[in-house]
Amino acid sequence: MPVEFLTDVQAAAYSRFTQPPSLAELERFFFLDDTDMALVNKRRGDYNRLGFSLQLGTARLLGSFLADPLDVPTEAVDFLAEQLGVADPSCLKAYGEREKTRLEHQWEIAREFGYRDFPAVEAELVRWVDDRAWNTGDGPKALFEGAVVWLRERRVLLPGVTILARLIARVRDEAMQRLWDVMASMLTTEQARLVERLLEVPEGARVSDLERLRKAPRPPSGRNMVKSLDRVAEVAGLGVGALGLDTVPHRRVVELARWGMSGTATALRRHRRSRKLATMLATVVYLEAKATDDTLEMFDVLMTTDLLARAERESKTEKLRRYPRLSKDAAKCAAAVEVMLASTEWGEEITIELLWDAIESVVSRAELRTAVTNLTDVIPPPDADPNGDWRATLVTRFAAVRGFLPLLTEVVAFGATAESTPVLDAMRALPGLLPAKASKRVPTGFLDARLVAVDLVPAGWWRPLVFRPGRPEGTVDRAGYVFCVLEQFHRHLKRRDIYAAASTRWADPRAQLLTGAAWDAACGPVLNDLQLPADPAELLASRAGDLDAAWRHVAAGLDGDAGVRIDDEGRLHVKKDPAITDPPSLTDLRKRCEAMMPQADVGEQILEVMTWEPDFFKAFTAASGGQTRLDDLHVTIAAALTAQALNVGFTPVISGAQALTRSRISHVDQNYLRAESYAAANAPLITGQAEVALAQTWGGGLVAAVDGIRFVVPIRSVDARPNPKYFGRGRGVTWLNMVNDQSVGLAGRVVSGTPKDTLHLVDLIYSQDGGRRPDVIITDSGSYSDIIFGLLQLLGFDYRPQLADLPDAKLWRTDPDTDYGPLNSAARGRIDLTRIDRHWPEILRVVASIHTGAVSAYDVIRMLQRDGRPTPLGDAFAHYGRIFKTLHVLRVVQDEPYRREIKGMRNLQEGRHDLGRHLFHGRKGELRHGYREGMEDQLGALGLVLNCITLWNTVYLDRVLDALRATGYPVLDADVARLSPYMRKHINVHGHYSFLLPELLDGRRPLRDPDAATAEED
């Protein structure tokens, strides 16, 4: 073994044929064009011509000449012999008799085709390896493979494997050392001492300060909010957050921070000092942002669910408690009013005494006076804020926020837009107001009115709560004012008008938009990529023309379409499409396919897919960056993935084998299973699925559906939110994921609670793990908004949400005077093209910033809306989106295949989710992680295993169909298109699990006999 990062097998495979070349490789590297033929035909004898051609093809494919030019697969010899018209390829044996001939041919090929020796480019390769190692942090194996490709592309004959491997190892080590030295040099002596001290275990403590700071306080509470702020202050107090790391690639900082966040303090202490300081610097910088994120996330949970929502619930409870009394009082008042109304028909002069006699016959005057008093006390005036009741309840919770209010703006550095600055100033002033001692003028529970921001108190229910009747003169109610400011601060924070500079998730999205030189550099390529013009006039005219033509087309077809009608209010109604019944041929085909599928455990399927897709296994690398591979690592990874995806824990996958011990599985789970590994491992699965003929009959991979699957989180977590519809009395999260029309998952992410998918949709699409980028995006109605329509169309996607309530969908036109006949009443909205044109430069900058990854679409969408209403820029996006929303609705109205395609993709995703729930069966199907990272790791494993099963099922379904066709069974294309790769009867997900692959003669399991399998089930 030349160096430790290459195994004997890998070293032996270097510049050698380890397997026959594929047809594509033969056609690319061994095809002889006219120039090649002219050179080959200068040789005398078939064996010389064939041998020369073999050396030429070998140099092209392998990047070097073989010591034995005849050590090639017979497929290459036969391919060349056919081109040269050599009837007997065995004549090649004579080519090796004269060594000088072989060498002369190598020299000639190198001269004629520009092949160079390695020393000529060694210095250039060293620079390339150094740059790549510095910027990417790739391991030596990846650098080695990249260097081989680099040399082949430049027609450089590969050096010996030892020479190249040692060069890679040396240059990478130097780049790593330079990275550590650069980052370590940024720290002052005092800062270095402070970050190193984090690795020590203080006297009386059980863990180091680093391990303590890595864990966020939970569950959400006022007390833990104080602890969380103390954590931010402690990390920020180290003074390294402000150090500029712009000279170091961001990816390298993230990698070091990941190791610092996951490695033990003992292991970190053992590093050489420069590496230790660099790792700790990256970790502390990351930890400051994460601590800020965790704190603001907890603040959001406290405000949203523990304070605002609880106050609203308590208010409703109080209303229900008072209802019996109110109903009695209201009934008495109603009886009196009925008498008064009836008196108008008495037909005689009515006196007050007569009227009161009639009223008192049904309710006494005293009872009526009491009823009116009771109702007046509890019923707000007609112009009152409907949310006033719960706000009145909220101010009674002052003790819940008093502890952390003085620290929030002191510890976290907030910024604000001009509009939100007064709110932030008022928030910053609160700590100075709260400790004020009581006096005769300002007693306990009140604040001096001269010191508060009176202008911030809005009219409605906050004003009577802040300026409570009966308060001492010149004061305001303390709890009312505090919650008035706190609610506005929280609202502005959620829409990022107030933001935290050190945060990642709560930062200012405006500051992340492309500007200056970055915008100038990105503008041209991005607009060309997205086919967006700098001047929108022609584009908008074209879009308006498309919309006008669609209106006219639908209007013209209404007479003959019995499935479409317009009601009296001008709303469109479409008759429900009849369900497509399963023909007997499809029912029987599904039954036979299920019966013929081989039976397997989930772990066996994962291991088998690893043999089909080697890059799937290679994607799992140690978080520490170490290159040493454990024996039977693939088995342990399969076990860890099975335990996570089935939610059963480690016990059912443990056995006596060394690769399946608890400690081994736990080690691999912590060090190899993470988001980056899942994304890298998913890419070859997506590619593999696209190459299966059956998957190609289902679709081309250009249509994708996005939806979420809900998981209850039974433990307290800042990342879990309530929703009674999905989580009952508990809280939970949503795993938002995307699947294409070839049935394979492309991306997934965890979001708190059940937010509208709109906020996360675009970011999910741009986080695709691999495969072709879809052109069409299908969602449910929960993801629908006019802004999303506009944004996705500008980003180059065709957005097609399923419309749950078509009659309620408002439709739009560009010209209010155009006559669309019976559709005039339906086209009641007007699209303002001038508004789009006016904001076009800003629209382009936002779109380019999202497309290049400079800013999160989630933050941008929030920025484009305020309190549920779009900003002027958001309104421009919405007007552009209304063009495509209306086109979409009109096509839904008239095009049944269009509707069925949307429904079909939604059903496909539901099928995948159903399989996901079937797999994730352990622990009642609940997600038991308190932190987002743990949730993402486990659901990432679920998504990866789902794709393994999908690929495994698709491959074997394809073989089943071939076997059925070979026996003469009538396999109809229409039935094949409706088969699902999510069948599960043949997959074991319960009990203990096997991780041993049987002997596979041709790399595949034998299919079962359908008749025997059916008999067994019966």
Side-chain angles (χ1 to χ4, degrees), residues 54-214:
L54 270 178
Q55 293 222 72
L56 175 58
T58 299
R60 288 172 172 170
L61 176 59
L62 299 181
S64 64
F65 297 108
L66 297 176
D68 179 2
L70 306 186
D71 187 16
V72 295
T74 57
E75 287 84 353
V77 178
D78 294 340
F79 187 78
L80 287 170
E82 183 178 355
Q83 295 180 71
L84 296 172
V86 176
D88 182 14
S90 64
C91 68
L92 184 65
K93 296 177 182 178
Y95 183 69
E97 294 176 355
R98 186 171 181 268
E99 183 179 3
K100 188 174 181 181
T101 300
R102 171 177 61 82
L103 296 176
E104 288 173 347
H105 286 178
Q106 291 178 6
W107 298 331
E108 186 174 357
I109 289 171
R111 183 178 65 253
E112 293 293 333
F113 292 95
Y115 283 95
R116 295 175 290 169
D117 290 326
F118 177 71
V121 298
E122 183 175 359
E124 186 180 354
L125 176 64
V126 166
R127 288 193 297 271
W128 178 86
V129 174
D130 182 75
D131 289 341
R132 183 164 177 179
W134 169 264
N135 286 297
T136 68
D138 285 346
K141 196 176 298 182
L143 289 173
F144 183 86
E145 293 171 353
V148 170
V149 173
W150 188 92
L151 291 168
R152 286 174 179 168
E153 288 176 347
R154 287 156 181 78
R155 294 193 177 185
V156 178
L157 297 174
L158 296 181
V161 63
T162 302
I163 294 174
L164 183 59
R166 287 178 176 169
L167 181 146
I168 296 296
R170 174 179 59 81
V171 176
R172 180 181 182 273
D173 288 346
E174 291 172 354
M176 291 293 292
Q177 187 61 54
R178 190 167 75 256
L179 173 73
W180 301 333
D181 291 343
V182 168
M183 294 186 66
S185 66
M186 295 178 178
L187 295 167
T188 65
T189 303
E190 177 61 17
Q191 288 172 336
R193 186 186 65 82
L194 289 175
V195 298
E196 283 186 293
R197 197 168 66 183
L198 292 177
L199 300 175
E200 300 172 1
V201 179
E203 186 176 351
R206 300 180 62 184
V207 297
S208 67
D209 285 341
L210 175 63
E211 291 169 300
R212 174 178 56 81
L213 290 172
R214 288 192 303 209

Side-chain angles (χ1 to χ4, degrees), residues 35 53 68 97 173 209 250 453 473 522 575 771 977:
T35 302
S53 302
D68 179 2
E97 294 176 355
D173 288 346
D209 285 341
H250 179 68
E473 185 178 354
K575 187 178 180 181

Side-chain angles (χ1 to χ4, degrees), residues 743-766:
S743 305
V744 68
L746 302 178
R749 66 171 46 198
V750 175
V751 294
S752 300
T754 57
K756 288 191 69 173
D757 298 346
T758 300
L759 298 173
H760 302 273
L761 175 62
V762 180
D763 288 328
L764 180 71
I765 296 171
Y766 270 85

